[in-house]
Amino acid sequence: MIQEFQVQNFYSIRERQSISFVPTNDDNMRGQYVHEVADGVGLLKVGIVYGSNASGKTTLLQALSFFRSVMIDKPESKIDDMGYFPFLLDKHSEGEHSHMQMTFWVKGEKHVLNLDFDSKRIYEESLLVYTSARPTSLYNRVYQPESDHTEVTFGNNAGIKKADQRTIKGNTINNCTVMAAFGQSNVHASKLNDV
């Protein structure tokens, strides 16, 4: 279940914007609208996006759709465009990376998935899991400009065998997320299957 989604420098969104499913302290109808994802952690079952015309409602939904697509779909070629535009109304944002972050819960564990990218490649991607108060890295990915390749490091908690790690790394091209590469790889079940 999604706890929060953040987006920055995507279409008409320049500054970091977020949508949160963390409920307020109001207990009115809490049983109907809040789902318990872990002991003491409840999240809203539904969210409403509202605002005046041209305030970014549609762009926020497009960002969620883009994030889902880039995490699931592997590009046909490493030269394919990412399929979006950064904020183009100032020169500074046009040259900056875009950023998305999703905090979500799976099987009672909190996960944080980060993505830093532009229209051609993914620069950074990471997935953390909170099995305790401190986060543990499931994987971390960094673009190496001097060699024009991606360096992927898997954490011990990911539960991915070395041979499977090599397969996923081989499928993780510059414009493809590790999650999409994992989904296209014929590898053993691991912690990433739940995600």
Side-chain angles (χ1 to χ4, degrees):
M1 230 176 143
I2 298 173
Q3 176 177 319
E4 183 181 44
F5 176 70
Q6 297 179 4
V7 57
Q8 180 179 351
N9 197 23
F10 183 85
Y11 290 135
S12 64
I13 297 174
R14 179 177 59 182
E15 301 299 322
R16 184 167 294 201
Q17 300 295 317
S18 65
I19 182 168
S20 174
F21 291 90
V22 176
T24 64
N25 292 332
D26 184 2
D27 287 335
N28 186 27
M29 300 182 76
R30 188 175 183 89
Q32 288 181 302
Y33 295 113
V34 175
H35 176 72
E36 198 90 4
V37 293
D39 289 338
V41 180
L43 297 176
L44 293 170
K45 297 177 186 178
V46 66
I48 298 172
V49 179
Y50 66 93
S52 59
N53 291 342
S55 62
K57 301 180 301 291
T58 301
T59 306
L60 182 60
L61 297 176
Q62 287 173 326
L64 275 165
S65 179
F66 174 86
F67 189 75
R68 179 188 182 279
S69 176
V70 78
M71 287 298 159
I72 293 174
D73 301 328
K74 188 172 187 292
E76 294 292 322
S77 167
K78 66 179 181 178
I79 61 169
D80 286 351
D81 195 84
M82 294 285 289
Y84 90 104
F85 295 100
F87 186 80
L88 297 175
L89 297 179
D90 68 38
K91 292 293 182 190
H92 176 73
S93 296
E94 186 177 350
E96 292 293 311
H97 298 169
S98 298
H99 181 76
M100 293 183 176
Q101 178 181 3
M102 183 176 282
T103 304
F104 58 97
W105 291 76
V106 177
K107 295 185 177 181
E109 294 179 339
K110 179 180 169 183
H111 294 73
V112 179
L113 183 55
N114 282 291
L115 190 64
D116 190 59
F117 58 98
D118 67 13
S119 63
K120 297 292 183 196
R121 69 181 44 87
I122 297 166
Y123 291 92
E124 293 182 21
E125 178 186 359
S126 65
L127 178 59
L128 301 173
V129 62
Y130 287 78
T131 53
S132 64
R134 295 184 55 149
T136 302
S137 174
L138 291 181
Y139 69 81
N140 189 48
R141 172 247 189 96
V142 178
Y143 173 68
Q144 305 294 332
E146 57 281 347
S147 57
D148 190 34
H149 88 286
T150 295
E151 184 71 36
V152 182
T153 308
F154 290 94
N156 294 333
N157 277 0
I160 301 175
K161 298 176 182 177
K162 293 290 184 192
D164 291 343
Q165 288 181 20
R166 286 191 296 274
T167 301
I168 297 167
K169 289 177 184 181
N171 286 328
T172 306
I173 54 180
N174 289 344
N175 57 351
C176 177
T177 62
V178 174
M179 288 303 298
F182 169 77
Q184 295 295 313
S185 302
N186 184 20
V187 296
H188 292 90
S190 69
K191 193 100 168 149
L192 296 185
N193 287 82
D194 295 336
V195 175

